[in-house]
Amino acid sequence: MRMTVIGTGYVGAAHAACMADIGHQVLGVDSDTKRIASLSAGRSPVREAGLDELLARNLASGRLRFSTSLAEAASFARTHIMCVGTPRRPDSDFADLRYVDMVVDGLARHLRPGSLVVGRSTVPVGTAARIGRHLAAVTRGAEVAWNPEFLRQGSAVEDTMRPERIVVGVTSAHAETVLRAVYAPMLRTGVPFFSTDPATAELVKVAANSFLATKISFINAMAEVCDAAGADVAVLARAVGADSRIGATYLEPGLGFGGSSFPRDFRAFAARAEELGAGEAVAFLHEVDRINTRQRRRTVALARRLAGGSFAGRRIAVLGASFKPGSDDVRDSPALAVAAAVRQQGATVRVHDPRALDNARAALPDLEYAHDVTTACENADLVLHLTPWPEYRAIEPVALAAVVRTPLLLEARNSLDARRWRAAGWSLHALGRPIGGTSW
């Protein structure tokens, strides 16, 4: 099957490479000439294990190529997958749809009859209907469908090739048939396929993100209660998560969520619900957001107490800069937000991250950076573990204790082996966990 993928950022690049890998003929299109040149050379816009190899393999096979021309896209195929970014508007929480609209307007003048424009971007409910009305007015026989992506950053290839579900919002049997053909290899493995109307498909993505954000903030709210009660939030989370009605995923206490899409998407959802007159129904999302932000402030406050009540003259080591392990993305990173706040309050801060140092340095050049953990921790008065990279679980705490000034660790992600660190002479502290507790 021939298709185009329009928008070749992280999601689009991964989608184009994966669609080619399962046998489709794919043309990736973007207005960014530098990005197109990089992709044509087999280099993805974001680092993810295996993605460059996937691009190179399918470029070599001839099933994948890239272009900057929407006219070429329209002549190449009748199925067009839009993977265009929808950033937050600078003046509000609403999604900025200018890039989606630019693609639709640019493509519309070239579309052939029978074309299907498939949106994968996260958009306010009602966007597909609006685009559909526009295309109906300016084209012959073109229609719109919506196929939201459910990709975790750092796992886009895995999530595309082995999705947990496929959701399509369509207005005709033809559109559903096309999308079943697009994902035929996945459907043959038994992946659940949900065919619904476009509005429901649009809502599925933002509803899922909002629910996950609520789970994360709920357990971090419980951490505050545990601090007040002298209880252990990590044990509480495991016990609550053992309930099959609740589940343990995303019920992990710590520093909270961040990234370029997760917070943006559920804030835009709340703004759109307000616009539709349903704002009261999702008013709780504002508290979810506040709890998440407060967790960063609480982490800084605990670090300050551990530093003796002031950061002035203190050397702080920070383990982690990316917003999550497996990614070099530092946008709205809780780890960098904490590091910046500690630096602003007078500490010398040295940061290590296995992958995100270049992006972190570009975002916050006033911090110090180290390419290895030992250098980051030299003469540190306090070590902050802020991103749960697997590399940090492999640290030898005895060796690290020999280079710090004080073997004092704030464990903000609850992923290290606390008993192992304590046995090496470290003092461990975490939000929602009692000092000297027997459960960790």
Side-chain angles (χ1 to χ4, degrees), residues 77-166:
R78 283 188 169 86
T79 301
H80 307 283
I81 315 293
M82 289 196 304
C83 298
V84 183
T86 53
R88 178 181 174 180
R89 290 185 197 170
D91 58 346
S92 73
D93 284 336
F94 284 93
D96 188 343
L97 300 179
R98 76 177 82 175
Y99 304 111
V100 171
D101 290 339
M102 286 170 58
V103 166
V104 172
D105 288 341
L107 190 61
R109 67 177 69 104
H110 304 293
L111 286 175
R112 292 180 287 167
S115 293
L116 178 65
V117 178
V118 183
R120 282 181 65 75
S121 308
T122 304
V123 296
V125 61
T127 300
R130 177 178 63 80
I131 292 173
R133 291 191 296 269
H134 175 64
L135 286 184
V138 299
T139 66
R140 291 183 300 154
E143 62 178 308
V144 174
W146 221 259
N147 168 220
E149 52 88 5
F150 301 98
L151 308 183
R152 299 164 297 169
Q153 194 150 346
S155 306
V157 172
E158 173 69 18
D159 293 341
T160 301
M161 300 296 270
R162 282 168 282 278
E164 293 182 326
R165 78 286 207 192
I166 295 169

Side-chain angles (χ1 to χ4, degrees), residues 154-418:
S155 306
V157 172
E158 173 69 18
D159 293 341
T160 301
M161 300 296 270
R162 282 168 282 278
E164 293 182 326
R165 78 286 207 192
I166 295 169
V167 178
V168 299
V170 297
T171 57
S172 73
H174 166 71
E176 180 176 335
T177 298
V178 170
L179 287 166
R180 284 186 178 275
V182 167
Y183 294 112
M186 291 78 166
L187 298 182
R188 284 195 292 269
T189 68
V191 172
F193 184 87
F194 297 89
S195 180
T196 183
D197 57 271
T200 302
E202 290 166 331
L203 282 172
V204 168
K205 172 63 180 292
V206 291
N209 276 359
S210 297
F211 184 78
L212 295 175
T214 300
K215 286 188 75 172
I216 294 169
S217 283
F218 171 81
I219 201 60
N220 284 333
M222 292 303 100
E224 290 193 48
V225 176
C226 286
D227 276 335
D232 190 326
V233 69
V235 177
L236 182 150
R238 291 197 298 271
V240 170
D243 188 324
S244 61
R245 298 168 300 175
I246 297 172
T249 57
Y250 281 76
L251 205 63
E252 297 150 354
L255 190 48
F257 57 81
S260 61
S261 59
F262 204 55
R264 177 200 67 202
D265 291 350
F266 86 84
R267 289 168 188 157
F269 175 38
R272 177 58 172 155
E274 186 72 36
E275 188 177 55
L276 292 170
E280 189 174 351
V282 296
F284 69 93
L285 290 178
H286 298 297
E287 186 57 32
V288 167
D289 203 3
R290 284 190 287 269
I291 292 168
N292 189 59
T293 302
R294 187 162 67 244
Q295 199 72 352
R296 302 179 188 188
R297 296 197 300 270
R298 294 182 68 234
T299 300
V300 173
L302 176 55
R304 187 170 54 248
R305 290 199 300 274
L306 294 175
S310 171
F311 288 121
R314 300 294 187 179
R315 179 173 290 278
I316 309 299
V318 169
L319 302 183
S322 61
F323 85 95
K324 62 176 286 187
S327 171
D328 64 353
D329 195 343
V330 299
R331 289 173 291 179
D332 195 22
S333 165
L336 271 194
V338 168
V342 171
R343 164 70 175 78
Q344 190 174 37
Q345 293 181 33
T348 299
V349 178
R350 187 175 291 166
V351 179
H352 173 268
D353 190 280
R355 188 178 295 179
L357 282 187
D358 290 343
N359 288 341
R361 186 180 288 107
L364 292 174
D366 290 341
L367 300 179
E368 295 181 11
Y369 296 92
H371 287 281
D372 62 87
V373 171
T374 299
T375 302
C377 294
E378 281 180 355
N379 297 315
D381 298 292
L382 172 65
V383 177
L384 309 183
H385 176 232
L386 303 183
T387 306
W389 284 93
E391 287 89 338
Y392 298 147
R393 292 195 292 274
I395 289 173
E396 176 46 63
V398 172
L400 199 63
V403 303
V404 299
R405 183 175 296 154
T406 308
L408 184 59
L409 176 71
L410 195 168
E411 161 60 311
R413 290 298 186 176
N414 288 294
S415 66
L416 301 178
D417 185 340

